[in-house]
């Protein structure tokens, strides 16, 4: 893990991240954070609270994509701070909501708590344009996995045959997925597992063994555990609308009328 130096700034890494990276005795990266089903129980790095298949709800991020016949598109990822994972300010009596929990209280870092500064966020509702025209809206809950899962999906759809076989929307969502926890998590206690990669058990065995041979610490998770994506698309030439929803977690729907 190497901090960058954009614009010639002095590169800095938080002291806490260095402690996590050295796996200091007594530190446990386990904690209530933001876990999706994908992170339970195989990863020590917390993520989003999950909504279980049996209806027991502990709170979760959700994602919604909408497109109409004229090509207007919306991608939204409503989310916020969770009482079970957000540190409460004793003097105030309430937690740091609306992602303020992601700021650092260590001074001098790019994400330090500073007036007027927007905190970092894992929320990444996305729109893809072709020649300036919106053609695809997509996104996912999942904390720090959002950008990972969405990149896998987008490459599978946009790069066509050159990446992952050129899948359609549903095929790209259904394809075996993965994530890594190599960087400090966005949520307290900001755990990390350098060199880690968590894959679905549907991943070909040869791929898993090849990853291990390259030095990755591979965790094999449940068959349908990595990803919460949904997407809508409109072909600007034909006007045809399409949509796909995540089959994992019994939470995704694709509806048209």
């Amino acid at each position: 893990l190497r901090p960058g130096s954009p614009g010639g700034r002095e590169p800095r890494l938080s002291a806490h991240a260095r402690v996590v990276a050295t796996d200091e005795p007594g530190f446990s990266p386990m904690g209530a954070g933001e876990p999706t089903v994908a992170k339970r129980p195989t990863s020590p790095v917390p993520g989003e609270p999950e909504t279980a298949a049996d209806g027991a709800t502990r709170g979760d991020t959700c994602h919604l994509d909408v497109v109409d016949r004229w090509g207007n598109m919306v991608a939204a990822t409503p989310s916020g701070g969770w009482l079970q994972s957000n540190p409460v300010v004793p003097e105030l009596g309430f937690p740091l909501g609306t992602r303020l929990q992601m700021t650092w209280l260590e001074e001098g870092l790019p994400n330090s708590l500073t007036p007027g500064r927007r905190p970092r966020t894992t929320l990444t509702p996305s729109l893809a344009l072709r020649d300036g025209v919106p053609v695809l809206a997509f996104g996912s809950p999942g904390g720090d996995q959002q950008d990972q899962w969405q990149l896998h999906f987008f490459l599978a759809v946009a790069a066509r045959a050159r990446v992952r076989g050129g899948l359609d929307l549903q095929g790209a969502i259904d394809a075996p997925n993965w994530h890594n926890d190599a960087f400090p998590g966005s949520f307290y206690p900001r755990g990390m597992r350098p060199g880690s990669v968590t894959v679905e058990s549907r991943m070909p065995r040869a791929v898993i063994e090849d990853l291990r041979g390259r030095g990755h610490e591979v965790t094999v998770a449940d068959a349908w555990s990595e990803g919460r994506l949904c997407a809508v698309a409109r072909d600007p030439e034909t006007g045809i609308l399409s949509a796909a929803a995540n089959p994992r977690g019994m939470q995704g729907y694709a509806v048209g009328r």
Side-chain angles (χ1 to χ4, degrees):
L1 178 62
R2 299 180 180 89
S5 55
R9 296 176 178 84
E10 178 184 358
R12 287 196 60 192
L13 190 63
S14 70
H16 182 78
R18 287 193 291 272
V19 170
V20 177
T22 57
D23 197 22
E24 183 175 283
F27 174 81
S28 173
M30 288 296 292
E34 202 201 14
T36 61
V37 176
K39 304 206 104 177
R40 183 208 71 209
T42 55
S43 172
V45 182
E48 297 183 4
E50 68 184 58
T51 302
D54 61 6
T57 303
R58 295 195 296 126
D60 200 354
T61 301
C62 58
H63 182 81
L64 177 70
D65 299 305
V66 181
V67 60
D68 64 18
R69 72 183 69 180
W70 299 282
N72 299 303
M73 288 190 179
V74 173
T77 312
S79 189
W82 295 272
L83 292 175
Q84 72 267 30
S85 64
N86 241 338
V88 173
V89 182
E91 294 81 2
L92 301 178
F94 58 82
L96 302 176
T98 318
R99 285 304 201 271
L100 195 60
Q101 61 178 324
M102 291 188 177
T103 57
W104 291 85
L105 299 183
E106 181 180 343
E107 295 183 0
L109 297 171
N111 202 44
S112 297
L113 183 61
T114 304
R117 179 177 295 173
R118 292 186 295 178
R120 83 185 230 186
T121 178
T122 63
L123 302 174
T124 49
S126 301
L127 295 175
L129 283 65
R130 182 191 303 156
D131 298 325
V133 178
V135 295
L136 176 67
F138 61 101
S140 172
D144 291 322
Q145 288 101 286
Q146 288 186 35
D147 281 340
Q148 300 184 60
W149 292 337
Q150 290 176 207
L151 177 62
H152 305 161
F153 165 81
F154 182 71
L155 289 177
V157 173
R160 294 299 179 185
R162 291 184 289 114
V163 178
R164 303 187 76 185
L167 302 172
D168 60 13
L169 297 184
Q170 193 64 56
I173 290 175
D174 291 352
N177 218 328
W178 70 95
H179 81 271
N180 78 76
D181 297 312
F183 290 85
S186 295
F187 304 90
Y188 180 83
R190 305 181 189 271
M192 63 186 287
R193 291 192 306 161
S196 74
V197 60
T198 300
V199 304
E200 291 182 333
S201 60
R202 296 182 295 123
M203 193 72 70
R205 178 58 52 182
V207 173
I208 295 174
E209 294 307 318
D210 185 56
L211 288 170
R212 286 176 172 153
R214 294 168 184 261
H216 295 281
E217 295 185 12
V218 181
T219 298
V220 180
D222 293 339
W224 295 89
S225 58
E226 289 282 320
R228 293 292 178 273
L229 279 147
C230 63
V232 297
R234 179 180 183 273
D235 187 324
E237 297 180 359
T238 64
I240 293 177
L241 306 180
S242 57
N246 168 60
R248 303 163 176 89
M250 300 175 66
Q251 295 169 274
Y253 301 91
V255 179
R257 66 174 184 176

